[in-house]
Amino acid sequence: MTQMIDRLADIADRFDAIVFDQWGVLHDGTTPYSGVPDAVAALADSGKALAVLSNSGKRAAPNAERIAAKGYPTSFFRVIMTSGEALWLDLLEDGGSLKLFPITRDDGDATAWAAGLDCVELVTSFEGADALLLMGLPDAGASDEVEQALAHALSEDMPVYCSNPDRASPRAGGATVVSPGEFAHRHKDAGGAVHFYGKPHLPIFERLQAELGLPADRILMVGDSLEHDIAGAKTAGWASLFVEGGLYARHFGSHDQTSDRAADLQELCRLQQRAAPDFSIPIVN
């Protein structure tokens, strides 16, 4: 049964490391959530090992800069791991030559991601690619070219590397936007080949755990996605803390009573057909 808590400090001493998701936990894509930087700072000052595990198609370094710009100094975190970093490392270790057609949120994202990866060539036409790189989407949604590229990949049995498996991401004011994982899952359901990097897939949890150098039962994952953060933590053997005020904030409304929160969480798990987290909190504080 999920334990409903009001303060992360109430359970922090049970773990040697606390791993935070980024969007929906530390910030909403624009600003940090009220009080969360102070709570994270207090944990860092206490000597707790902290880390970030994000389904971002970008590498760890630019995400560290983005986190710092939102009020979280990189010195707080022992490790910052992203799905984009995990893919970059995998391709570096593999060493094979690969022509990728990138699908990104902003111009230049793919070039920055591929820096130092000599085995990868970014191409400007999906018809000349070995695979698609699905790392980001504009908040306005996928363009016609994205749809055409995915259709081409399906018809030509071309693999898709998805370095952001999130189906949706939270934005300011409780809004959500469609994320690359939604298109990757549609492509897979249509029979396409997709290589997913990031949560909930076990390798990224194993990679981060190895960097922390800790047993699984001493790590707590803090996230707002039942599908990615909570399910992935369960597979890895980590404990999990669900943040109600992130991706599914509208589902929880403005309830103040623990019984209401518990009922809302139970209903959300039923609707999502997902396992319940070990703990649940309105927002990290």
Side-chain angles (χ1 to χ4, degrees):
M1 179 178 293
T2 301
Q3 180 181 342
M4 313 302 288
I5 66 172
D6 295 307
R7 297 175 64 251
L8 179 51
D10 293 340
I11 62 170
D13 286 346
R14 305 186 195 183
F15 305 98
D16 295 325
I18 299 176
V19 180
F20 296 95
D21 176 36
Q22 191 176 166
W23 278 267
V25 174
L26 298 179
H27 60 79
D28 63 8
T30 303
T31 58
Y33 292 107
S34 178
V36 180
D38 290 339
V40 175
L43 289 169
D45 289 343
S46 74
K48 187 71 63 179
L50 305 181
V52 173
L53 182 57
S54 175
N55 276 359
S56 168
K58 296 182 179 181
R59 293 194 61 197
N63 272 279
E65 294 173 1
R66 179 159 45 189
I67 292 168
K70 290 179 170 55
Y72 303 93
T74 55
S75 59
F76 283 0
F77 305 106
R78 183 179 297 182
V79 184
I80 294 177
M81 176 60 65
T82 68
S83 45
E85 183 79 9
L87 173 57
W88 192 95
L89 291 169
D90 251 22
L91 293 177
L92 180 67
E93 292 163 4
D94 179 70
S97 177
L98 195 62
K99 293 180 179 180
L100 294 176
F101 176 77
I103 298 169
T104 64
R105 179 179 180 181
D106 297 309
D107 292 340
D109 283 353
T111 301
W113 169 83
L117 201 57
D118 295 337
C119 59
V120 166
E121 178 186 351
L122 300 177
V123 298
T124 57
S125 170
F126 54 77
E127 293 179 343
D130 299 319
L132 302 186
L133 171 60
L134 183 52
M135 65 179 292
L137 292 173
D139 283 359
S143 66
D144 290 342
E145 185 181 36
V146 171
E147 300 280 10
Q148 293 166 8
L150 289 167
H152 176 79
L154 188 63
S155 65
E156 298 296 323
D157 294 324
M158 179 189 295
V160 174
Y161 289 88
C162 178
S163 58
N164 182 345
D166 286 352
R167 296 175 187 261
S169 294
R171 292 293 184 266
T176 59
V177 296
V178 175
S179 291
E182 177 64 23
F183 287 87
H185 279 283
R186 290 181 196 173
H187 189 74
K188 181 181 178 182
D189 291 345
V194 181
H195 302 288
F196 288 99
Y197 281 80
K199 302 170 289 185
H201 306 285
L202 184 59
I204 199 168
F205 287 86
E206 293 177 328
R207 189 179 284 274
L208 178 53
Q209 184 177 333
E211 293 204 31
L212 290 170
L214 293 169
D217 62 358
R218 301 301 301 169
I219 304 174
L220 175 69
M221 178 76 223
V222 183
D224 67 328
S225 170
L226 294 173
E227 178 181 4
H228 301 104
D229 304 308
I230 307 307
K234 185 176 182 63
T235 300
W238 301 5
S240 60
L241 169 60
F242 178 71
V243 177
E244 301 155 18
L247 184 62
Y248 295 104
R250 292 182 177 180
H251 178 86
F252 287 86
S254 58
H255 296 310
D256 295 321
Q257 300 300 315
T258 299
S259 58
D260 291 328
R261 289 169 48 207
D264 283 350
L265 177 59
Q266 184 178 31
E267 175 66 5
L268 180 62
C269 291
R270 185 190 69 80
L271 291 171
Q272 295 282 315
Q273 298 184 339
R274 302 291 176 186
D278 297 300
F279 308 96
S280 188
I281 193 170
I283 195 167
V284 174
N285 63 76

